[in-house]
């Protein structure tokens, strides 16, 4: 046991502890300044090896990586803090190739510089420099080397307050693009470089069909300022690159490769990369097909640059979702569809259908809570349809109903359901489906997107189909599946509830509350092409007669035939 301290010693210890406490309080708290430079875009006058010693290595927080310059004077390295900051300290960790004479400088624009620190007697090693100034850019400018080699920094840390947030973000949205060639013809309208950077998955860039189906082919984006690149996302068209490089540049003339492959399979590729530059290029050296190069999306992520904020993505439905729109069809017998919710869509149908859709003449309430959509054997004078095999006439021999919410109600995401009873008979084609609302402003099918919730063919009422259609997969190539009732029953025997649960991850189809098919956005992008269903859609109900898929009616087809709709509901 140690002997007890005398009162005098105890008083001295107390005094020393008090003095130490006061001295600590006199030091500004370290938390007043934050590390602003880590992970931010860094550039340099030169690099000894862009692959081994890039400028980004000095601001990556890894003490085992470094930037190294060419073996000449002067040389510099600079970091973009993302926004103007108040700079209070700079820490430099030199490699053996250090600067005897150098300045630490700040700038608001990367062009005009102000000295924060200057020395001609640098000794290398670890240097902590307390400075005072402000700027978005901070630079170390070496003017005299201490060795025959260049300048090399393991770490270049800038502390202060302000600056950018530093989080990874999309840098390429709506930025200018340049390409080796581009296509603009009936097969690919306005497939210019800008289409790859517009966040519109239904538009694309493609090399020219007359001069661009050659190797190499390339496209690059101007990010507006130097950036630190951390991720690139490519959504390829079938005309993709087998071999290509991702490259960065500060001047769009001299390029550094940050990713390379000779075995690309196309579709969607998310590539984690590391590099810095104002320009980012996809440089294709071998095509996978006889055609050119084409990208639906070319997205660049990182920090720095001069990004434009993209539109906010739509919100997923609440859990549980709430009813936001419905029609229960409870009108009196003979009442027409609610004009505040539906509009008639008269005229001849697509897909070589044989009916003429009337202006609600074939749609009304039955007084028992149902909408009746009736197909009739009824000619429409002055109309033109494909030749009816029963009569040999080119005049439309049938009438029916088609209506939609196009000018009344659009929505993005939700649970969409309808309780429907379908008719039986050769040639009938009842459907409950959705179209992308941009179809109404002139965007052609399938670029607007189509979501089929229910399709049944009257010649096989034991099978129902749910499908999505997009530019890269449509018609017979749409993504979907057939399904039957568990008991093998007939869909025309009774009402059934078809629903689509649609959100940012995809669509889950259900029949009478039972999941029958799931379409994953991620899987579609990885295997079929871009997902184009993250924007407003409207609802459609129709009963077609004839067409390429169901075939024509025959002598046994019963007319009139009725599609009954108990309700349509949308939850979000």
């Amino acid at each position: 046991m140690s002997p007890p301290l005398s009162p005098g010693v105890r008083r001295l210890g107390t005094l020393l502890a008090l003095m130490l406490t006061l001295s600590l309080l006199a030091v500004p708290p370290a938390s007043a300044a934050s590390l602003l430079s880590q992970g931010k875009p860094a550039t340099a006058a030169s690099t000894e090896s862009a692959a081994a010693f890039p400028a980004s290595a000095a601001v990556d927080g890894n003490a085992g990586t470094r930037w190294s310059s060419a073996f000449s004077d002067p040389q510099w390295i600079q970091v973009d803090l993302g926004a103007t900051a108040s700079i209070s300290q700079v820490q430099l960790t030199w490699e053996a190739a250090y600067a005897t004479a150098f300045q630490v400088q700040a700038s608001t624009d990367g062009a005009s510089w102000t000295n924060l620190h200057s020395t001609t007697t640098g000794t290398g090693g670890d240097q902590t420099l307390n400075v005072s100034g402000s700027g978005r850019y901070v630079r170390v400018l070496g003017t005299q080397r201490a060795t025959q080699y260049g300048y090399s920094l393991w770490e270049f840390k800038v502390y202060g307050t302000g600056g950018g947030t530093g989080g990874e973000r999309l840098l390429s949205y709506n930025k200018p693009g340049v390409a080796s060639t581009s296509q603009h013809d009936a097969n690919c309208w306005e497939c210019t470089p800008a289409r790859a950077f517009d966040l519109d998955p239904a538009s694309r860039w493609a090399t020219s069909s007359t001069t661009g189906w050659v190797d190499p082919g390339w496209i690059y984006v101007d990010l507006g300022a130097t950036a630190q690149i951390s991720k690139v996302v490519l959504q390829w068209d079938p005309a993709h690159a087998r071999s290509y490089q991702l490259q960065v540049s500060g001047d769009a003339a001299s390029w550094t490769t940050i990713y390379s492959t000779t075995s690309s399979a196309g579709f969607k590729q998310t590539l984690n990369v590391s590099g810095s530059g104002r320009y980012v290029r996809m440089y294709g050296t071998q095509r996978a097909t006889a055609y050119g190069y084409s990208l639906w999306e070319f997205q660049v992520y990182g920090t720095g640059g001069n990004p434009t904020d993209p539109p906010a993505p739509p919100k997923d439905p609440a859990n549980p979702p709430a009813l936001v729109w419905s029609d229960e069809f409870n009108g009196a017998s003979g009442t027409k569809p609610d004009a505040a919710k539906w509009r008639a869509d008269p005229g001849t149908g697509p897909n070589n259908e044989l009916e003429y859709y009337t202006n609600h003449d074939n749609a009304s309430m039955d007084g028992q809570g149902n909408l009746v959509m009736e197909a009739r054997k009824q000619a429409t004078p002055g109309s033109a349809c494909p030749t009816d095999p029963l009569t040999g006439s080119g005049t439309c021999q049938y009438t029916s109903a088609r209506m939609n919410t196009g000018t009344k109600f659009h929505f993005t995401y939700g649970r969409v359901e309808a309780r429907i009873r379908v008719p039986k008979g050769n040639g009938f084609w009842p459907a409950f489906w959705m179209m992308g609302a941009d179809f109404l402003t002139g965007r052609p099918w399938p670029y607007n997107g189509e979501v089929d919730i229910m399709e049944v063919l009257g010649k096989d009422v034991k099978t129902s189909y749910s499908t999505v259609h997009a530019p890269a997969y449509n018609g017979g190539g749409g993504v979907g599946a057939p399904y039957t009732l568990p008991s093998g029953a007939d869909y025309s025997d009774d009402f059934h509830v078809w629903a689509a649960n649609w959100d940012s991850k995809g669509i889950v189809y259900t029949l009478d509350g039972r999941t029958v098919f799931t379409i994953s956005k991620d899987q579609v992008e990885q295997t079929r092409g871009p997902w184009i269903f993250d924007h407003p859609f409207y609802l459609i109900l129709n009963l077609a007669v004839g067409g390429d898929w169901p075939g024509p009616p025959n002598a046994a087809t019963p007319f009139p035939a009725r599609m009954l709709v108990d309700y349509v509901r949308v939850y979000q």
Side-chain angles (χ1 to χ4, degrees):
M1 181 180 294
S2 301
L5 295 174
S6 67
V9 172
R10 287 198 299 269
R11 285 194 297 270
L12 178 60
T14 301
L15 180 60
L16 290 173
L18 178 60
M19 292 174 64
L20 178 60
T21 301
L22 292 173
S23 67
L24 290 174
L25 290 174
V27 177
S31 60
S34 300
L35 177 59
L36 306 177
S37 53
Q38 189 161 307
K40 296 298 178 62
T43 52
S46 66
T47 56
E48 180 183 352
S49 167
F53 308 117
S56 59
V59 295
D60 61 3
N62 184 348
T65 61
R66 62 186 174 95
W67 161 71
S68 183
S69 77
F71 300 170
S72 62
D73 294 317
Q75 298 292 336
W76 54 262
I77 179 173
Q78 73 181 49
V79 61
D80 177 0
L81 303 180
T84 299
S86 178
I87 303 154
S88 57
Q89 190 179 90
V90 173
Q91 294 180 1
L92 305 175
T93 303
W94 293 99
E95 199 253 350
Y98 66 93
T100 299
F102 69 92
Q103 294 88 52
V104 175
Q105 302 173 319
S107 172
T108 58
D109 58 7
S112 177
W113 297 91
T114 301
N115 280 351
L116 304 180
H117 173 85
S118 181
T119 183
T120 58
T121 57
T123 58
D126 295 329
Q127 295 182 308
T128 297
L129 309 172
N130 294 316
V131 298
S132 180
S134 65
R136 171 173 172 166
Y137 305 88
V138 181
R139 177 169 77 168
V140 177
L141 174 64
T143 55
Q144 184 180 340
R145 290 166 291 144
T147 71
Q148 61 181 318
Y149 303 104
Y151 299 88
S152 186
L153 283 166
W154 294 103
E155 286 293 298
F156 173 19
K157 295 181 178 180
V158 179
Y159 291 83
T161 57
T165 59
E168 181 184 79
R169 60 180 296 187
L170 179 63
L171 305 177
S172 53
Y173 173 63
N174 269 0
K175 293 302 176 186
V178 178
S180 51
T181 64
S182 61
Q183 189 172 350
H184 178 57
D185 55 32
N187 296 315
C188 199
W189 185 258
E190 291 188 352
C191 292
T192 59
R195 303 299 187 187
F197 308 110
D198 61 4
L199 273 188
D200 181 347
S203 68
R204 64 186 172 102
W205 160 75
T207 50
S208 168
S209 57
T210 56
T211 60
W213 291 1
V214 296
D215 297 316
W218 50 264
I219 179 174
Y220 72 75
V221 60
D222 177 1
L223 302 178
T226 300
Q228 182 68 35
I229 314 304
S230 57
K231 184 172 70 178
V232 172
V233 177
L234 303 176
Q235 181 77 62
W236 290 99
D237 180 70
H240 70 275
R242 178 76 64 205
S243 300
Y244 70 92
Q245 294 92 50
L246 293 179
Q247 302 171 325
V248 294
S249 174
D251 56 8
S254 176
W255 297 91
T256 299
T257 297
I258 58 173
Y259 173 83
S260 179
T261 183
T262 58
S263 56
S264 169
F267 295 114
K268 185 175 183 178
Q269 299 174 339
T270 300
L271 307 169
N272 295 314
V273 297
S274 180
S276 63
R278 173 171 173 164
Y279 305 90
V280 182
R281 178 167 75 167
M282 187 291 299
Y283 188 77
T285 55
Q286 182 185 355
R287 290 164 292 140
T289 70
Y291 304 102
Y293 296 93
S294 183
L295 283 165
W296 296 99
E297 285 290 308
F298 181 178
Q299 299 172 8
V300 179
Y301 293 81
T303 58
N306 185 27
T308 299
D309 289 331
K315 293 182 179 179
D316 275 329
N319 187 17
L323 183 67
V324 296
W325 186 95
S326 69
D327 198 337
E328 304 298 319
F329 303 116
N330 288 328
S333 179
T335 304
K336 296 303 178 184
D338 186 346
K341 296 180 178 181
W342 302 94
R343 67 171 188 171
D345 191 5
T348 54
N351 309 303
N352 290 314
E353 296 168 18
L354 299 175
E355 81 291 315
Y356 187 90
Y357 291 117
T358 63
N359 188 13
H360 280 333
D361 292 343
N362 296 55
S364 62
M365 307 307 117
D366 66 359
Q368 300 177 43
N370 302 310
L371 167 71
V372 178
M373 307 184 79
E374 187 171 85
R376 303 168 186 159
K377 188 170 178 57
Q378 177 186 34
T380 302
S383 64
C385 282
T387 301
D388 172 37
L390 292 179
T391 64
S393 174
T395 298
C396 298
Q397 296 296 299
Y398 310 92
T399 60
S400 193
R402 179 175 64 187
M403 61 193 212
N404 64 59
T405 67
T407 59
K408 315 295 183 179
F409 174 66
H410 314 152
F411 65 103
T412 306
Y413 301 157
R415 174 179 171 81
V416 190
E417 65 179 29
R419 188 170 184 263
I420 301 172
R421 183 173 180 175
V422 301
K424 179 189 294 187
N426 278 26
F428 295 138
W429 185 5
F432 170 46
W433 49 300
M434 303 192 296
M435 281 279 271
D438 47 359
F439 182 75
L440 302 173
T441 56
R443 187 164 222 177
W445 185 92
Y447 295 90
N448 60 300
E450 177 182 327
V451 177
D452 298 325
I453 302 171
M454 179 279 288
E455 292 181 283
V456 175
L457 304 182
K459 63 184 179 183
D460 175 20
V461 287
K462 296 182 183 299
T463 307
S464 179
Y465 301 85
S466 295
T467 316
V468 296
H469 301 272
Y473 41 93
N474 58 76
V479 178
Y483 45 89
T484 60
L485 292 170
S487 62
D490 191 319
Y491 284 108
S492 68
D493 289 342
D494 203 350
F495 285 91
H496 295 279
V497 178
W498 282 270
N501 299 276
W502 169 38
D503 61 21
S504 61
K505 297 180 178 62
I507 302 174
V508 177
Y509 290 103
T510 65
L511 173 66
D512 297 328
R514 176 175 59 93
T515 297
V516 291
F517 184 52
T518 298
I519 300 178
S520 162
K521 174 181 178 178
D522 181 65
Q523 185 178 19
V524 168
E525 290 176 333
Q526 298 289 343
T527 60
R528 301 296 295 273
W531 180 263
I532 66 166
F533 307 100
D534 296 323
H535 67 103
F537 278 68
Y538 61 92
L539 301 169
I540 306 173
L541 288 165
N542 73 292
L543 173 56
V545 179
D548 297 325
W549 193 17
N554 59 23
T557 302
F559 286 98
R562 292 181 164 190
M563 170 180 171
L564 303 180
V565 185
D566 181 17
Y567 62 77
V568 178
R569 298 170 183 165
V570 177
Y571 301 81
Q572 285 187 316

